[in-house]
Amino acid sequence: SYGLVACIDAVGGDSRKYRHLLALPEIVHCGSLIIDDIQDGSSVRRGGPTCHVTHGIPTAINAGTAAYFHAINIIEVLTPGLSAETR
């Protein structure tokens, strides 16, 4: 993600318009970890109880899936100048 910002600046662009994209890998990764913990039955993640252990499987599935859609929303809403092809 920081590579993206560095590349934009290196070619004379203004990376400030795209800094919100830095959160995307973490959001998507967290969503995938929530789903993965359900699939493999993990009870601990990062030293604490997993999402599905704390909040139940249905809520955890919704949270993991919401992370994917939230990432798409960040791209579409916070980066309005992108064409459909670029998105």
Side-chain angles (χ1 to χ4, degrees), residues 4-17:
L4 169 69
V5 171
C7 289
I8 292 169
D9 289 335
V11 298
D14 183 3
S15 65
R16 291 176 294 178
K17 297 188 297 187

Side-chain angles (χ1 to χ4, degrees), residues 49-60 63:
T50 56
C51 183
H52 71 280
V53 167
T54 302
H55 302 288
I57 290 175
T59 300

Side-chain angles (χ1 to χ4, degrees), residues 7-59:
C7 289
I8 292 169
D9 289 335
V11 298
D14 183 3
S15 65
R16 291 176 294 178
K17 297 188 297 187
Y18 303 101
R19 289 208 176 137
H20 57 280
L21 298 176
L22 294 174
L24 292 179
E26 183 63 20
I27 291 169
V28 172
H29 185 191
C30 285
S32 69
L33 291 177
I34 291 170
I35 300 299
D36 178 69
D37 288 340
I38 295 168
Q39 291 174 329
D40 64 17
S42 295
S43 60
V44 176
R45 169 69 59 191
R46 297 178 178 167
T50 56
C51 183
H52 71 280
V53 167
T54 302
H55 302 288
I57 290 175
T59 300

